[in-house]
Amino acid sequence: MMKLKVKKARCHVELDFQVSGSVLQGTVKGSWQGVNTRLDIDSDEPMEKIVALVRNAKGGCFAEQLIVNPVKLTSSITLRGQTVQFEPENP
């Protein structure tokens, strides 16, 4: 744990996600266009220590790491106790 004094921190996140297709036709498709973050930090700590703090926080953030290093997604469906075979049409 880094013992740094931060007076105030704010994070602004912009998600650019697009959905196309039709629910009724079963052709819905979502796609990410980008994700932007802006950190505003107020601290008397040296800049290099705050940069190291942010680097550690970003490296340990499961949401950010999922975007930066995507993984294979597997899904299963159980309906009334029985497994339903399911393969997405648009992987």
Side-chain angles (χ1 to χ4, degrees):
M1 165 106 22
M2 300 177 77
K3 300 207 183 240
L4 300 176
K5 186 92 167 175
V6 174
K7 296 176 184 177
K8 184 177 180 182
R10 297 184 81 178
C11 180
H12 178 81
V13 179
E14 292 181 4
L15 305 172
D16 189 359
F17 187 76
Q18 182 175 4
V19 179
S20 60
S22 166
V23 171
L24 296 177
Q25 294 176 5
T27 59
V28 173
K29 177 80 174 166
S31 61
W32 285 101
Q33 305 302 307
V35 178
N36 297 306
T37 63
R38 184 184 71 237
L39 298 173
D40 296 318
I41 300 170
D42 183 9
S43 176
D44 292 330
E45 299 286 351
M47 183 176 21
E48 61 273 3
K49 287 188 177 185
I50 296 299
V51 169
L53 174 70
V54 172
R55 185 174 293 116
N56 280 333
K58 290 170 79 60
C61 175
F62 69 89
E64 185 161 327
Q65 291 306 311
L66 186 57
I67 293 167
V68 175
N69 301 303
V71 297
K72 180 182 176 187
L73 172 65
T74 58
S75 299
S76 64
I77 301 172
T78 303
L79 177 63
R80 293 185 287 276
Q82 293 189 348
T83 301
V84 176
Q85 296 301 315
F86 171 77
E87 287 296 324
E89 291 186 18
N90 299 319

